[in-house]
Amino acid sequence: MTLRGKAAIVSYGETPVTRARKDKGEPRLSYWEYFAWATSLALKKAGMTTKDLDGQGLAVMHPEVDHSLFLGVEVAEMLGVTSKWIITPSHGGASGCVGLAQAALAVSSGIVDRVLCVIGDAPMTYGDTMMLTEHRRDFEKPFGVMGPTSLFALVMRRHMEQYGTKVEHTGKIAVTQREHAVLNPDAVFKERFTMEDYLNSRMIAEPIRLLDTVMRVNGGSAFIVTKTEEAKRWTDKPVYLLGYGECNNYHHGSKALSDATLMGIGQASREALSMAGLEPRDMNFFQPYDDFTIAVLMQIEAAGFCEVGKGGKFIEETDLSYRGSIPLNTGGGQISAGQPGLAGGNLNLVEGVRQLRGEGEGRQIQGAKAGMVTGIGAVQYGRNVGYNSVAVLGSEL
Amino acid sequence: MSRFGVKEGGEARKPLPYITNYSQGFWEGTKAGELRIQKCNACSHKQWIPKAACEECGSIDLSWIKSGGKGKVYSYSIIRHVVMNSMAFEKEIPYALALIDLDDGVRVVGQVVECKPEDVKIGMEVEAFFEDIGGASIFKFRPRR
Ligand SMILES: [Zn+2]
């Protein structure tokens, strides 16, 4: 059983994102409103109505804010849809890619013909209200751990020591993604910055600077997956799932003393590429989940664009812009476009779809035919990471 | 308490763990000045964080052993801002946070104090000590003398 070419993304919808600043008169919406808004945008783009979702599949991804346990069916209830098949990916930042794969499984096995995959999240409205992991509450916070920022700082320092990676390497990722955000009308940050600005930006958890991190926003995102046979009924530009791989609770070597510079993205991407019958050099873009620049650098290595430990040198020598040999997070990524809570896990996936449909506007990659997107979720300390998920997408079968 | 650990009209407090049946032995240990880690009675694997099963073989037959509390810095960061944690840490900032590979073969995370944060290096030898945070005791590390 392979998922290669069995399913297609036929539509997507993304709401504008917002910091929900009361002093600027920006509304503070609930996550429900983002679920509803993103759905309506995706349906409209496909020329569908909610009637087309009756008897079909619904993938409701969990937001990061405190939410209803029965969210899946409550979203169906809100939309007035009687679903045949509801899945509720709860894989943190990996839920976008995981939802895509689970939707592809549902349509390729004939359970349903199409699946709406949707998430809305509103950390600016609700704040940090959800207990993400018990180990974070019990064995990290009391010990002075400052969430994922400090955990990735520990990983970054180790990577620097082990391989000679420099802050200028993560700096180039930050600068390049910002250049892309300038070309993305939907991005929250549109001011260019230089390497010098990057190096001068405020330290949060050394060696991580402010410009290595994400800004949280409210937002929602949806995409619609159909079986390949009906894809062209909804769009003349289907984007096919060519390969998929997942590797969860990754460790390398002893479980108690794992090499923190390695990621489960390695195994997941090898499986995804093998299913697609493609190599890293065949990828016209790389849209990795980006909560921190070091996570991007490590995924460049893990996904096989270069050897592990050589990511710094590779970045130095490679044009990562949308015109370059391996365009990186061409919408600016979460780091520059904003992280709409866990809807951020869809952000780079949707950007990949946009590129393959030729809808990248001022940042369109010429001749983009295939590319890789990733999702990662649940950061443990000293291991990378909980959920690792990789999808290879293509505009041709 | 608000979600940032700020007591209404009072000083910020350190976040406290929930103590469960399977983690109780660890927290009793820190109160008694011991760093306890789990050892599997079936396969002898040692693990951190405390779990309800052995991560190596799945056995639920686990016991506590006392770690020597000595280890080496695997990696470190200097914390400059409170992010997603209690403002109670603000008065300790800047501080070094480190992954420590204990000689017993497990990796833990904790603060390294009693030296300048800038002096912490990978490979540095450290030892654990314990601090009451009001309701529980945690371990911190200091350079080994
Ligand atoms: Zn065991």
Side-chain angles (χ1 to χ4, degrees), chain A residues 28-287:
Chain A
R28 292 204 152 168
L29 303 188
S30 66
Y31 64 87
W32 297 103
E33 288 162 296
Y34 286 107
F35 269 100
W37 191 356
T39 297
S40 73
L41 292 171
L43 288 174
K44 190 172 177 213
K45 192 173 175 77
M48 287 185 195
T49 70
T50 50
K51 298 271 176 288
D52 295 306
L53 299 177
D54 276 329
Q56 300 296 333
L58 186 60
V60 174
M61 298 148 190
H62 286 249
E64 70 170 48
V65 300
D66 196 11
H67 59 269
S68 167
L69 178 63
F70 300 121
L71 185 63
V73 77
E74 285 184 281
V75 169
E77 188 181 2
M78 174 180 72
L79 298 173
V81 166
T82 300
S83 304
K84 185 172 179 180
W85 187 254
I86 293 181
I87 54 174
T88 52
S90 56
H91 299 62
S95 288
C97 286
V98 169
L100 166 61
Q102 294 189 2
L105 268 171
V107 299
S108 64
S109 61
I111 293 170
V112 290
D113 297 327
R114 67 200 79 106
V115 182
L116 168 74
C117 302
V118 61
I119 178 168
D121 208 345
M124 305 317 299
T125 305
Y126 299 78
D128 291 319
T129 45
M130 188 81 179
M131 182 190 62
L132 299 177
T133 61
E134 288 201 17
H135 68 77
R136 186 178 291 182
R137 179 193 66 196
D138 298 341
F139 295 103
E140 293 177 13
K141 285 176 88 168
F143 294 83
V145 175
M146 296 291 153
T149 313
S150 55
L151 297 177
F152 272 105
L154 293 166
V155 169
M156 181 166 165
R157 174 63 69 197
R158 182 72 200 183
H159 202 282
M160 292 167 77
E161 178 96 359
Q162 204 162 313
Y163 305 116
T165 305
K166 298 181 189 137
V167 292
E168 286 80 4
H169 298 143
T170 46
K172 185 170 173 187
I173 290 170
V175 170
T176 304
Q177 290 198 188
R178 181 58 61 89
E179 290 290 326
H180 289 153
V182 170
L183 301 169
N184 177 2
D186 300 324
V188 278
F189 294 114
K190 296 201 190 67
E191 275 181 33
R192 283 197 169 78
F193 61 78
T194 64
M195 182 65 80
E196 203 187 339
D197 298 330
Y198 168 83
L199 293 172
N200 289 332
S201 83
R202 185 155 63 91
M203 281 290 188
I204 307 296
E206 287 183 34
I208 288 187
R209 294 164 161 77
L210 185 66
L211 291 175
D212 289 309
T213 68
V214 288
M215 172 79 88
R216 286 202 288 183
V217 292
N218 287 350
S221 173
F223 55 90
I224 299 169
V225 177
T226 72
K227 59 181 181 182
T228 291
E229 293 80 358
E230 76 160 43
K232 291 215 165 145
R233 179 177 153 200
W234 305 108
T235 179
D236 55 357
K237 293 182 283 189
V239 170
Y240 301 102
L241 181 63
L242 299 182
Y244 182 73
E246 200 177 303
C247 174
N248 305 310
N249 190 35
Y250 173 80
H251 71 275
H252 176 84
S254 156
K255 288 192 174 75
L257 295 170
S258 184
D259 184 336
T261 65
L262 303 175
M263 294 186 86
I265 288 293
Q267 188 177 324
S269 62
R270 283 190 291 278
E271 285 175 17
L273 286 167
S274 158
M275 189 185 289
L278 297 169
E279 301 283 336
R281 66 170 173 274
D282 300 319
M283 298 296 100
N284 300 126
F285 58 71
F286 186 42
Q287 317 272 2

Side-chain angles (χ1 to χ4, degrees), chain A residues 3-12 45 100 104 223-228 231-232 234-243 285 348-359 368-373 391-397:
Chain A
L3 284 173
R4 191 189 187 286
K6 301 273 174 66
I9 298 171
V10 300
S11 181
Y12 60 89
K45 192 173 175 77
L100 166 61
F223 55 90
I224 299 169
V225 177
T226 72
K227 59 181 181 182
T228 291
K232 291 215 165 145
W234 305 108
T235 179
D236 55 357
K237 293 182 283 189
V239 170
Y240 301 102
L241 181 63
L242 299 182
F285 58 71
N348 297 341
L349 168 59
V350 167
E351 174 65 14
V353 172
R354 205 181 267 123
Q355 290 288 347
L356 291 169
R357 290 169 62 104
E359 295 168 357
K369 283 194 168 58
M372 186 185 282
V373 301
V392 174
L393 305 175
S395 56
E396 291 168 8
L397 277 173

Side-chain angles (χ1 to χ4, degrees), chain B residues 10-79:
Chain B
E11 250 185 76
R13 292 188 49 179
K14 287 279 180 74
L16 292 174
Y18 285 31
I19 298 175
T20 58
N21 189 62
Y22 69 83
S23 68
Q24 195 176 349
F26 167 75
W27 296 107
E28 286 169 1
T30 51
K31 276 238 158 103
E34 289 181 7
L35 201 175
R36 294 183 192 161
I37 56 177
Q38 281 178 314
K39 185 178 178 191
C40 174
N41 292 333
C43 78
S44 297
H45 178 70
K46 287 177 254 180
Q47 67 187 15
W48 179 257
I49 297 164
K51 297 177 180 76
C54 169
E55 64 187 2
E56 193 60 48
C57 77
S59 167
I60 57 171
D61 184 11
L62 300 161
S63 54
W64 295 101
I65 59 164
K66 185 183 163 187
S67 160
K70 293 182 168 59
K72 288 193 181 73
V73 171
Y74 176 78
S75 192
Y76 65 95
S77 167
I78 302 175
I79 303 300

